[in-house]
Amino acid sequence: MAHLISPSMLSADFCNLAKDIEMINESQADWFHIDVMDGVFVPNISFGQPVIKHIKKLAKKPLDVHLMIVEPDKFFEDYKNCGADIITVHYEACTHLHRSLSRIKQLGMKAGVVLNPHTPVCVLEDIIDMCDLVLLMSVNPGFGGQSFIENTYNKIKDLKELINRKNPSCLIEIDGGVNTANHKALVEAGADVLVAGSAVFASENPIETIKKLKTI
Ligand code: DX5
Ligand code: ZN
């Protein structure tokens, strides 16, 4: 499978979201990455459901919703109603991860688990069979524009081994500090989905940058 690109709307122009959504529609990007932050799980607040509903009205590609919030289970149905196609929840925020993933799937969405940079892949041993995807944070969650953490490559290797052994259809998504200088190495290491925020939106020609991120 060719790798997928999921531009992060956190770095879009909030004064002109429609223009950036159209840009992604026209580009080679595959998903819209939607970062939801609550100011509790992460030290930042982003945007909530009214904004996502409006993105959904214009978006012609799936919404990949990354929940950086405590007690995410309270809101799965709301995010479904806003148009989420994929929901990823943090391992660190879910006490009953099995129940959380079951609920997301029951609502008809794809379900994934996110690991913070300090959380080892081995914690997924008994839940990987339920994951449509695993998102590895390659920065500490909370902000766009941070530098990529190199240890992520070791984690991709561990995750690939686990996936091959227990759930070969599970996708590996990488989020944080992804750019046109490291995207090839990440795909070669085993990444299936690359999230890119500042690399896309701070570039002079976002459509061209997305094309570069798609090319290996
Ligand atoms: C960070 C978010 C990321 C962020 C990526 O907490 O999960 O999705 O928007 O931004 P860049 O690509 O700029 O590191
Ligand atoms: Zn994210």
Side-chain angles (χ1 to χ4, degrees), residues 7 14 19 25 28 36 50 53-54 82 110 124 132-133 136 143 158 161-163 169 177 182 187 203 205:
F14 281 57
K19 182 170 158 276
N25 283 340
Q28 291 183 30
V36 179
K53 251 186 212 159
H54 282 84
C82 288
K110 300 265 185 223
L124 298 174
D132 294 307
L133 68 163
L136 297 177
F143 305 93
D158 292 347
E161 187 276 320
L162 177 62
I163 283 174
S169 63
N182 59 19
V187 172
S203 70
N205 186 338

Side-chain angles (χ1 to χ4, degrees), residues 29-64:
D30 300 277
W31 296 348
F32 284 79
H33 188 77
I34 308 288
D35 286 305
V36 179
M37 303 179 182
D38 65 355
V40 180
F41 181 69
V42 288
N44 194 11
I45 297 176
S46 58
F47 49 79
Q49 292 158 15
V51 174
I52 300 173
K53 251 186 212 159
H54 282 84
I55 294 176
K56 186 68 178 182
K57 280 189 194 159
L58 298 178
K60 295 187 180 140
K61 298 171 183 184
L63 300 194
D64 161 33

Side-chain angles (χ1 to χ4, degrees), residues 33 35 66 68 175:
H33 188 77
D35 286 305
H66 174 193
M68 286 162 275
D175 184 6

